[in-house]
Amino acid sequence: MLPFLEWYEVIKTLCWTYSEVFFMSVSIALTTRFLQLTKRLKLYEKQSLSETFWNEIREHYNIICNLVLKVDRIVSPIVIVYSFSNLFFICQKIFIFFEKKKLPWDRYYSTYSSIFLIIRTMVMLYFGAEVNEKSREVLSILREVPNDTFNGVNVRKLEIFFFL
């Protein structure tokens, strides 16, 4: 029975880590797309260009924001569960650390795994928060475009609270 339980723990840990890495990959992809749009806009910042150009940019921005909102609806409950799960295991490792142990490597393992969980949780939440920050950069540039190029149409204010 012991080999089966060991195998189960390894598979469970791999699935847990894989899903967090998947979440970080999706966040990096969305952040990169906002960065690409920001770089493109910085080339034409505060210039009066054609209305079709700015309509195309606004349309791209709205498409990306809608994608972020769809991903957010699906992924945010999972991220909350993983965050609380990580927090539970961090507290458990801290509790184990303060227990009296017979072997010194138990203390080293507990310290290492606690630090690993803390870093992994922080990195996961950082990448999720980066999407929101990069979307705001695009929005601030779009708001500075002269009104005559928009033909009186305002850019819709869209606040994205991605995964948090």
Side-chain angles (χ1 to χ4, degrees):
M1 187 72 173
L2 188 62
F4 175 74
L5 290 176
E6 278 295 319
W7 176 79
Y8 174 74
E9 285 298 317
V10 168
I11 295 299
K12 187 173 71 171
T13 304
L14 287 175
C15 290
W16 182 20
T17 305
Y18 173 74
S19 51
E20 286 184 357
V21 168
F22 177 75
F23 165 73
M24 288 186 266
S25 301
V26 168
S27 298
I28 290 170
L30 292 170
T31 302
T32 303
R33 187 61 187 114
F34 279 119
L35 282 173
Q36 290 171 347
L37 196 57
T38 302
K39 285 181 184 177
R40 183 175 176 197
L41 282 173
K42 285 191 178 188
L43 293 174
Y44 304 109
E45 192 174 18
K46 296 182 181 178
Q47 291 183 13
S48 290
L49 297 173
S50 69
E51 182 180 340
T52 57
F53 173 78
W54 291 112
N55 285 336
E56 177 187 331
I57 293 292
R58 285 194 336 247
E59 184 179 324
H60 285 184
Y61 178 73
N62 285 333
I63 288 171
I64 297 169
C65 287
N66 288 334
L67 176 64
V68 167
L69 292 174
K70 285 180 184 177
V71 170
D72 184 35
R73 258 184 269 126
I74 295 168
V75 175
S76 62
I78 297 168
V79 171
I80 289 173
V81 168
Y82 283 138
S83 297
F84 283 122
S85 176
N86 286 344
L87 183 63
F88 170 77
F89 283 111
I90 289 168
C91 291
Q92 182 184 28
K93 296 292 181 183
I94 291 172
F95 177 73
I96 291 171
F97 180 78
F98 288 114
E99 285 182 350
K100 293 190 179 195
K101 296 188 172 70
K102 297 177 183 174
L103 301 173
W105 54 74
D106 287 339
R107 215 179 248 291
Y108 296 132
Y109 171 74
S110 178
T111 305
Y112 167 75
S113 61
S114 297
I115 291 171
F116 177 73
L117 275 171
I118 290 169
I119 290 172
R120 189 167 85 177
T121 305
M122 288 174 48
V123 168
M124 181 184 70
L125 295 175
Y126 170 77
F127 282 124
E130 271 298 296
V131 176
N132 186 25
E133 290 300 314
K134 298 309 175 190
S135 70
R136 289 178 187 215
E137 289 178 16
V138 175
L139 191 58
S140 67
I141 293 173
L142 283 175
R143 286 184 182 152
E144 293 176 5
V145 174
N147 285 336
D148 58 340
T149 58
F150 277 142
N151 198 15
V153 178
N154 290 332
V155 176
R156 168 176 69 127
K157 181 180 179 183
L158 181 60
E159 295 289 330
I160 300 174
F161 296 103
F162 190 63
F163 302 141
L164 296 176

